[in-house]
Amino acid sequence: MRTIIRSLIYFGVAATFMSSAHASPTLKSVIDSYQSHLDSKSTDIKEDGTYPKSFWPDVSPEGQKKELEELNSILGELNKVPRKGLSEDELLNIDILKTILTSKIERMAFDEERLPFTGDWGFHSSITFQISGMRIADVADETELLEKLNAAPDYVDAHIANMKRGLETGFVSYADPLKTVIEQLEELVADAPEDSPLYMPFKSLPSHYSEDHAERTRDLGKKAVVKVQASFAKALTFLKEDYAPHTRKQAGVVDFPNAKDYYKTLVAYHTTLPDMTPEKVHEIGQAEVTRIRAEMEAIMKEVAFDGSFAEFLDFLRTDEQFYAKTPEQLMEKAARFAKDIDYQMPKFFGHLPRLSYGVEPVPAHIAPGYTTGRYVGGSLQDGRAGIYWVNTYALDQRPLYELPALTAHEAVPGHHHQISIAQELKDVPAFRQSYYATSFGEGWGLYSESLASEMGLYKTPYERFGKLSYEMWRACRLVADTGMHWYGWTREKAETCFKENSALAPLNIKTEVTRYIGWPGQALGYKIGELKIKELRARAEKALGKEFDIREFHDTVLEKGALPLAILEKRIDAWIAEKSKTEE
């Protein structure tokens, strides 16, 4: 079903700023103005049945300039709002919105629209994902879908224009992420229109449609899909002939204009810790690699493996006992692990979300270059369950001993649990329900992998090794990401940490390092966030002693939705202080 644009649940409909020479703006007016800004950029059909001016965001330089002016204006008004007398949630609204606006404004200074893909994602996959997820229940849905498809070629053209500016200014991709994008586009272009994921909504039309109506709709759908495929073909030709010969020489962004400032901005954005520097991240990564390696070697001794650590890793990567024979077997294992965790959840959480989730394979058209698994959020309001995606491409690269940790991270108690809790927040602005801080969300996901140990999920030494291998993966990210983007490492040097210290399959290592090249800084949030959550839990356990309640701690971490880590720390400290006062 189409997503209906809704005004703020608690704070009312959009309003104009209320600042003047004699009165400070109210928090409500600033939040309403921000929501108005978001609504103006939305591509969905409106509540009154009208359509937006454009079905896709305006990514042109003029559109970005206008957006920057709007964001600076909203931030200026937000900074004038008096904090005295506000509730905790109102103060959180201020601090989170300030974080969102500040980081967005800082990143817009670098004109990132010049590089509209990461390898892992991009303008083409965004179009495909949005369209394939739409459903036709009536004529309004049908009209919206067709208009959105017919407007997509102009959106693709705007991205091509931005990439041309990137070529002119040296803000370009490295070869490997580009190769992945080209492969994805080739598959999308090669599909017959009716086999394209873009055509998916037209395969299930309302039962009340007459046969003539249905046939006409399907015909219009095919014609619209052909237009989008033609625009993808145009982008593909551009990327192959004009763009590919001029990709950047180094894997990291070190040869970008203002490279140091750009990467420092990304580190601050993805860790949400103002004092975190690339150098500090690198040091933390090296220390974590050393610690985890020692625990891995202990398990190797436990299973009495006769050989070196490198030989043990080769054994784990190549022995058939550790790999599914069919995609169905891999999916069945993932589903079983998911249900095993579901059974343990009430012991560790007082609040369980209402939204359910399912286990599905990664769509075939993106699977070859896609990560090993991911969570796709659902909506109780729209009747969509969450989805835990498992990549069934190249089964010999998907070891079963890593599957428990992957499940804990992507499904529960990881992303599905955390995101669904945030979606259920009441009496908060809409932006609070959808806000996603990398270090909070991915940090929670990695913390969940460790929490699964307490749940008894890892039954064998090899599954415990798989959990450590995943943790090593995230520790090596700190080393590799900063190595490439700050210290100028080659791709090969960045891969060394993973090859020498983790059981990750070669394809996974290649895919992941390509992702870090194309998405600088994002991979830092996992380990930095996990370490902060573990630090806060240890602090609470020490301060509260026998009064520490794991269920209450977890609920407190999650109950306000995603938070920048600096704000989360203040909340947990306040919770500890309040609990300590109560005990007295």
Side-chain angles (χ1 to χ4, degrees):
M1 283 294 294
R2 64 180 180 270
T3 301
I4 304 298
I5 296 177
R6 291 173 174 82
S7 56
L8 300 180
I9 295 173
Y10 178 75
F11 290 96
V13 296
T16 57
F17 289 129
M18 296 176 63
S19 60
S20 72
H22 304 289
S24 299
T26 65
L27 178 57
K28 176 182 180 299
S29 71
V30 177
I31 291 174
D32 287 347
S33 294
Y34 180 60
Q35 188 61 38
S36 273
H37 168 78
L38 295 180
D39 287 352
S40 70
K41 291 171 61 62
S42 175
T43 61
D44 296 313
I45 189 172
K46 299 180 184 295
E47 284 186 325
D48 61 5
T50 61
Y51 297 93
K53 292 180 180 178
S54 172
F55 277 87
W56 301 99
D58 184 354
V59 296
S60 69
E62 296 76 20
Q64 293 301 294
K65 180 181 178 182
K66 180 182 177 182
E67 180 176 5
L68 183 59
E69 291 172 351
E70 292 174 358
L71 294 176
N72 272 312
S73 176
I74 296 169
L75 179 60
E77 294 296 299
L78 183 64
N79 286 332
K80 298 174 186 176
V81 174
R83 297 175 67 94
K84 185 176 180 180
L86 297 181
S87 67
E88 180 191 11
D89 272 325
E90 288 172 326
L91 292 172
L92 283 175
N93 291 342
I94 290 178
D95 293 338
I96 294 172
L97 183 53
K98 187 175 293 187
T99 299
I100 292 171
L101 292 170
T102 301
S103 60
K104 177 68 173 174
I105 289 168
E106 288 175 347
R107 291 185 64 180
M108 288 184 76
F110 297 99
D111 192 11
E112 293 177 307
E113 296 293 347
R114 290 174 290 174
L115 182 45
F117 59 85
T118 65
D120 186 81
W121 196 253
F123 64 94
H124 59 296
S125 45
S126 176
I127 292 171
T128 305
F129 182 77
Q130 286 189 50
I131 294 296
S132 64
M134 296 179 73
R135 298 292 180 267
I136 298 176
D138 52 34
V139 173
D141 286 337
E142 174 190 333
T143 304
E144 180 189 8
L145 174 58
L146 289 169
E147 291 288 343
K148 203 172 182 76
L149 278 167
N150 286 316
D154 287 341
Y155 183 56
V156 174
D157 284 346
H159 281 297
I160 293 174
N162 282 337
M163 287 187 282
K164 288 180 178 178
R165 289 194 301 108
L167 287 174
E168 294 167 359
T169 54
F171 201 95
V172 296
S173 174
Y174 185 64
D176 295 347
L178 175 63
K179 180 176 181 292
T180 301
V181 170
I182 286 175
E183 290 171 351
Q184 293 168 349
L185 281 168
E186 284 176 335
E187 183 163 348
L188 288 169
V189 169
D191 286 334
E194 59 271 23
D195 296 329
S196 169
L198 295 167
Y199 188 75
M200 188 74 66
F202 297 97
K203 292 185 175 182
S204 181
L205 297 177
S207 58
H208 63 265
Y209 274 20
S210 68
E211 184 53 42
D212 286 346
H213 187 170
E215 184 177 352
R216 183 171 63 254
T217 300
R218 286 190 287 266
D219 184 58
L220 290 171
K222 287 181 185 179
K223 290 178 179 177
V225 169
V226 168
K227 289 181 182 178
V228 180
Q229 288 180 310
S231 72
F232 283 167
K234 180 180 178 181
L236 182 60
T237 299
F238 165 75
L239 289 173
K240 283 182 173 181
E241 297 181 1
D242 301 322
Y243 197 93
H246 304 289
T247 51
R248 66 178 187 255
K249 303 303 179 185
Q250 293 182 273
V253 298
V254 290
D255 52 358
F256 269 14
N258 303 316
K260 293 291 186 182
D261 288 340
Y262 180 50
Y263 189 63
K264 282 192 290 186
T265 298
L266 294 176
V267 170
Y269 170 71
H270 287 294
T271 67
T272 62
L273 292 171
D275 59 346
M276 191 59 65
T277 64
E279 295 91 347
K280 190 173 182 179
V281 170
H282 196 78
E283 291 171 5
I284 292 171
Q286 290 175 319
E288 282 293 282
V289 167
T290 300
R291 176 188 65 80
I292 299 166
R293 174 66 178 262
E295 294 184 31
M296 297 171 88
E297 290 179 346
I299 291 181
M300 186 179 78
K301 292 179 181 179
E302 179 185 341
V303 299
F305 182 80
D306 184 17
S308 67
F309 188 76
E311 290 171 331
F312 186 54
L313 294 182
D314 184 64
F315 163 67
L316 292 171
R317 288 170 178 153
T318 58
D319 196 290
E320 291 185 0
Q321 68 175 302
F322 299 124
Y323 295 87
K325 300 296 188 295
T326 65
E328 292 74 20
Q329 185 184 357
L330 182 63
M331 295 303 297
E332 287 171 4
K333 286 278 189 180
R336 175 56 192 266
F337 286 130
K339 291 309 297 181
D340 286 346
I341 305 175
D342 284 343
Y343 179 72
Q344 296 291 329
M345 289 293 286
K347 298 179 183 178
F348 293 86
F349 298 89
H351 179 191
L352 299 177
R354 294 171 57 201
L355 185 68
S356 62
Y357 69 96
V359 187
E360 297 285 344
V362 171
H365 68 278
I366 60 172
Y370 207 69
T371 189
T372 191
R374 182 156 290 175
Y375 175 68
V376 179
S379 169
L380 194 64
Q381 180 176 281
D382 293 339
R384 290 182 289 105
I387 307 173
Y388 162 33
W389 269 356
V390 178
N391 200 332
T392 58
Y393 174 81
L395 290 175
D396 61 346
Q397 306 288 302
R398 315 291 177 195
L400 295 173
Y401 53 76
E402 292 177 349
L403 201 53
L406 178 68
T407 305
H409 184 109
E410 302 296 346
V412 295
H415 289 326
H416 173 74
H417 181 77
Q418 180 259 312
I419 292 172
S420 298
I421 292 287
Q423 289 176 336
E424 292 180 0
L425 289 173
K426 303 296 183 184
D427 297 339
V428 298
F431 77 84
R432 284 276 302 279
Q433 293 177 311
S434 60
Y435 173 59
Y436 190 80
T438 304
S439 55
F440 183 93
E442 300 301 347
W444 176 261
L446 183 50
Y447 170 79
S448 295
E449 295 175 28
S450 294
L451 186 60
S453 294
E454 300 175 53
M455 293 178 165
L457 187 65
Y458 308 112
K459 301 291 195 302
T460 71
Y462 296 111
E463 289 175 351
R464 285 190 282 116
F465 192 93
K467 177 259 181 189
L468 288 172
S469 184
Y470 261 35
E471 190 177 2
M472 179 67 83
W473 174 16
R474 279 44 169 263
C476 284
R477 283 175 171 178
L478 303 187
V479 177
D481 199 273
T482 52
M484 290 187 293
H485 297 298
W486 188 254
Y487 294 111
W489 287 7
T490 63
R491 178 194 178 103
E492 291 69 29
K493 186 173 181 179
E495 288 182 350
T496 301
C497 184
F498 302 95
K499 291 178 178 177
E500 294 183 350
N501 297 290
S502 80
L504 285 175
L507 178 61
N508 276 354
I509 294 173
K510 182 178 184 299
T511 299
E512 287 300 313
V513 174
T514 297
R515 170 183 160 191
Y516 314 147
I517 291 170
W519 202 356
Q522 190 271 347
L524 307 180
Y526 297 69
K527 175 55 73 170
I528 296 300
E530 178 228 19
L531 290 175
K532 177 58 69 175
I533 294 170
K534 285 186 171 180
E535 173 194 329
L536 297 176
R537 175 173 168 175
R539 187 184 304 174
E541 288 174 333
K542 181 178 180 180
L544 300 177
K546 294 180 179 179
E547 299 302 316
F548 176 79
D549 183 331
I550 188 64
R551 298 167 82 233
E552 189 176 351
F553 171 76
H554 288 150
D555 289 350
T556 302
V557 170
L558 299 178
E559 67 184 353
K560 297 298 184 181
L563 301 172
L565 293 183
I567 297 175
L568 174 65
E569 185 165 15
K570 291 179 181 178
R571 284 210 78 244
I572 296 301
D573 284 343
W575 174 74
I576 293 172
E578 185 62 30
K579 292 282 292 182
S580 300
K581 190 186 302 180
T582 303
E583 291 168 27
E584 296 172 1

